[in-house]
Amino acid sequence: EILIKEISAILLKDWDPFGVSDMPDARREYDAYAAEIFSMYKKGDISHEIIFNYLKTITEKSLDMKADDLAIGQAVGSVMELFKAEEKS
């Protein structure tokens, strides 16, 4: 799905808690997170707050890292814009 790749690219550019945006092989990890966000979108269970909390939980609980709320917010804003554009097309 092209939309998953676009979400993954946003996460890699804006969120990137691993700091691996310059490593092509790192994309696979972000593809899994993007696929989950896309699944939420397809189910209609999507909002800025839901995606924000999802990424924050991954950062703090799964990755055991300090969350950068600004970076998460930027990524979520970009993803929501992508969804809005998708709905208009």
Side-chain angles (χ1 to χ4, degrees):
E1 175 70 52
I2 292 171
L3 206 53
I4 293 173
K5 295 294 181 194
E6 290 179 32
I7 297 167
S8 183
I10 289 168
L11 297 180
L12 195 59
K13 180 176 82 59
D14 293 343
W15 176 49
D16 193 24
F18 293 119
V20 294
S21 61
D22 58 344
M23 300 172 65
D25 289 342
R27 266 204 130 99
R28 283 178 289 214
E29 186 77 26
Y30 292 87
D31 288 347
Y33 303 136
E36 181 61 29
I37 292 170
F38 180 73
S39 176
M40 292 177 208
Y41 170 70
K42 291 302 270 186
K43 292 177 189 171
D45 184 25
I46 201 76
S47 71
H48 189 281
E49 184 179 6
I50 287 171
I51 301 172
F52 185 93
N53 289 336
Y54 172 69
L55 294 177
K56 186 167 181 133
T57 298
I58 289 170
T59 305
E60 294 178 343
K61 305 279 192 252
S62 300
L63 305 178
D64 197 29
M65 301 172 85
K66 182 171 176 10
D68 179 344
D69 289 353
L70 187 61
I72 293 172
Q74 184 172 338
V76 173
S78 296
V79 168
M80 293 302 290
E81 286 298 317
L82 178 66
F83 290 152
K84 284 180 192 171
E86 179 70 15
E87 289 170 4
K88 288 180 182 176
S89 63

